[in-house]
Amino acid sequence: MNCPICDAHKNETQIVYQNENWVLRKADQNLEGYLYMEHRNHVDSWFGLSLSEFENYGRALHKATEILKEYNPEKMYIVAIAERVPHLHVHLIPRYENQDKGLDHIAKATGPGFPKPM
């Protein structure tokens, strides 16, 4: 099986935290603090996760908020779609002052990303 998320987990330099079930990984979208939270195993649905996996999800989300606080965003969006890549994951997308709000920001972040600084 060829899964880009499973493959990305092999590059440990992008991983900022992991516990028994979840990995926090830097997103390459040119937005400081943007993280992916991904199941460590190739799981494609929330259904069937154990209570322990959900508890560890909460722990990983708590760690993510601690990491993101250091960047001082105004808001953090949590987006879970998992259609294009069938590996359970969520996008943790910070929004900063003077950036678009809501769905416009999310679409830019999850799509082409933000322009690179000159």
Side-chain angles (χ1 to χ4, degrees):
M1 173 182 54
N2 188 14
C3 172
I5 292 176
C6 290
D7 290 344
H9 290 177
K10 296 173 187 170
N11 181 1
E12 293 183 12
T13 63
Q14 296 298 307
I15 295 174
V16 296
Y17 170 83
Q18 57 186 322
N19 63 30
E20 293 83 5
N21 304 109
W22 300 92
V23 169
L24 291 176
R25 185 170 59 90
K26 296 177 190 175
D28 185 26
Q29 294 297 85
N30 201 37
L31 180 63
E32 288 292 325
Y34 187 156
L35 298 171
Y36 300 123
M37 190 162 66
E38 304 157 333
H39 201 286
R40 288 183 70 167
N41 298 320
H42 190 81
V43 174
D44 65 1
S45 174
W46 295 98
F47 304 115
L49 291 184
S50 68
L51 177 57
S52 176
E53 287 171 301
F54 278 111
E55 289 170 342
N56 285 326
Y57 173 87
R59 289 180 179 90
L61 184 58
H62 181 263
K63 182 63 176 179
T65 60
E66 289 179 338
I67 292 168
L68 286 176
K69 280 181 196 176
E70 296 175 16
Y71 294 96
N72 297 311
E74 288 188 340
K75 190 93 159 171
M76 178 182 77
Y77 300 119
I78 301 173
V79 179
I81 304 166
E83 292 292 343
R84 195 176 315 154
V85 180
H87 183 127
L88 192 57
H89 67 285
V90 296
H91 298 250
L92 305 174
I93 306 167
R95 181 183 53 75
Y96 298 99
E97 189 176 347
N98 299 321
Q99 289 185 320
D100 291 335
K101 296 181 179 180
L103 294 176
D104 291 336
H105 183 73
I106 291 167
K108 184 181 252 183
T110 60
F114 292 84
K116 304 274 187 226
M118 301 295 283

